[in-house]
Amino acid sequence: QVRVVESGGGLVPAGGSLTLSCTVSGLTFDDYSMGWFRQAPGKEPEGVSCISWSGGSRYSEDSAKGRFTISRDNHKNTLYLQMNSLKPEDTAMYYCAAVSVWTNLKCLPDLNVWGQGTQVTVSS
C-alpha cells in the first residue's frame, strides 16, 4: 500500500521561509519523478515544482522560480521543497505526488501516489 505523508506547512509572514517534506512508502521511490502541487481555495490545482528520479532534471512554475527549490533524498524516500521569500499568493494546500505528465510547460500529478497535503498560509 502506497503512503505519502507531507509535513512542514504552517503560518508565516510575507518574506518568510518554510521547508516542506514528504515521505513515501510502499513503492520504489527512485522509480518515480516526484513533484509538489498546490491548490488555493477556489482555484485549480497547479504544479509548483517537479524533479526527476535522479534529481538531474527539475521543473518550476514561473512564480516559484528563484524562490522555491525542490530536492530529494532517495535513501530516505523523502522529497523536499524549500520555499523562500513567501508571498500571500503562495497560500494554499501543498501536496506531494508522483508525476504523471511532465512537459516544458507543466507537470501533472499521478493521483495514485498523492498525499493528504500540508497547509501553507502566508500573512501580509
Side-chain angles (χ1 to χ4, degrees), residues 19-92:
T19 300
L20 307 183
S21 299
C22 166
T23 301
V24 182
S25 59
L27 52 74
T28 304
F29 185 66
D30 56 8
D31 278 351
Y32 293 84
S33 295
M34 297 293 297
W36 287 99
F37 305 85
R38 68 185 178 188
Q39 186 169 21
K43 294 188 176 181
E44 293 292 317
E46 62 176 348
V48 177
S49 192
C50 294
I51 187 168
S52 63
W53 69 271
S54 67
S57 296
R58 289 174 172 83
Y59 159 88
S60 286
E61 182 265 335
D62 285 347
S63 71
K65 290 177 181 176
R67 299 190 300 127
F68 295 0
T69 302
I70 190 170
S71 62
R72 65 190 295 162
D73 185 334
N74 287 342
H75 296 292
K76 296 182 178 179
N77 284 14
T78 301
L79 181 73
Y80 303 99
L81 186 69
Q82 173 67 45
M83 303 188 294
N84 298 324
S85 303
L86 282 161
K87 304 175 182 180
E89 51 264 42
D90 295 317
T91 295

